[in-house]
Amino acid sequence: MRLINHIPGKPLAVLLAALPFIALFAAYSIGSDIRLDANPQDKLLPAPSTIAETAQRLFTEPDRRSKEILLWNDTFASLARLLGGVGISALLSLLIGLAIGLLPYARSAMSSFIAVVSMVPPLALLPILFIVFGLGETSKVVLIVIGITPFMTRDLAQRVLEIPQEQIVKAQTLGASSAVIALRVALPQVLPRLISNVRLSLGSAWLFLIAAEAVASNVGLGYRIFLVRRYLAMDVILTYVIWITFLAFLIDWLLKTLSRKAFPWMEAGL
């Protein structure tokens, strides 16, 4: 039997999925032991037990000055910015993508513009956004919107263009207006792709958020990482990195579950 036809069973699939994480943890532990044996005061690779102790402290102990648990404050602030930016991007990309895909006039007017905007490096616009919108929440949300909306819009517009023309013609034959075609024919077929696009864009959204928080913020996950880096507090930095990774994974899993529950026909067709 050819290798491409070998499908691992569930226990083996779980083991194979866990192997990279086990290998990464083992490599880090070995590297940490080597450095700490050479210099017990080394801060670059803290021991896993040190990271665990730091995580417990960050999650449970309030700050001495503010009497608040800073990690939770940072989490809520960053998630509010992230979800706001991603939500606005999803809505804009859906509306513009449907317009470009269905309306020839909108396609002629906007497709080239969206293509050009998608080539602009979003982080290069960060100083401009701070000047225009100030150092508050707006500039951070706008950076996320500018960073991920063009990509999502182009992909959704292409998905609309891939809808069989026969469906459009049949809907018009039955007397459907352009709005009805958009809502009853195109929208149900585009929504699963929208969720997939949001999942694919989450990594970029986190990148833009952390970059903006690192430059100008007084609360947030990115702000805290760049604040403690000056003290070489790698145990705190790694705790925050692991926490951000977990949050990203959780959001991705929730979106995947939503897509599977809301569009089972899409999952069955994959």
Side-chain angles (χ1 to χ4, degrees), residues 38-103:
N39 178 16
Q41 303 301 319
D42 183 76
K43 295 183 177 180
L44 184 60
L45 294 179
S49 58
T50 302
I51 297 176
E53 293 172 0
T54 301
Q56 181 180 7
R57 173 174 57 83
L58 292 175
F59 277 102
T60 59
E61 297 182 9
D63 180 63
R64 294 180 180 178
R65 293 182 179 179
S66 64
K67 306 302 180 182
E68 297 177 339
I69 300 179
L70 297 181
L71 186 141
W72 290 115
N73 288 349
D74 293 333
T75 299
F76 295 143
S78 292
L79 285 180
R81 296 162 183 159
L82 179 78
L83 297 179
V86 172
I88 294 172
S89 298
L91 179 60
L92 288 176
S93 61
L94 179 62
L95 295 176
I96 300 174
L98 285 172
I100 293 175
L102 290 175
L103 305 177

Side-chain angles (χ1 to χ4, degrees), residues 90-91 93-95 97-98 152 155-157 159-160 163 182-199 255-256 258-260 262-267:
L91 179 60
S93 61
L94 179 62
L95 295 176
L98 285 172
M152 296 172 62
D155 189 72
L156 290 179
R159 177 65 186 94
V160 175
I163 295 176
L183 293 175
R184 301 295 297 274
V185 178
L187 185 62
Q189 301 185 60
V190 169
L191 285 178
R193 180 70 69 90
L194 175 63
I195 296 178
S196 297
N197 281 342
V198 171
R199 292 177 61 195
L255 289 172
K256 182 179 180 180
L258 173 63
S259 179
R260 186 170 58 247
F263 311 105
W265 52 268
M266 185 68 180
E267 296 292 329

Side-chain angles (χ1 to χ4, degrees), residues 194-213:
L194 175 63
I195 296 178
S196 297
N197 281 342
V198 171
R199 292 177 61 195
L200 292 173
S201 300
L202 279 176
S204 299
W206 275 107
L207 171 64
F208 301 139
L209 172 65
I210 291 173
E213 290 180 342

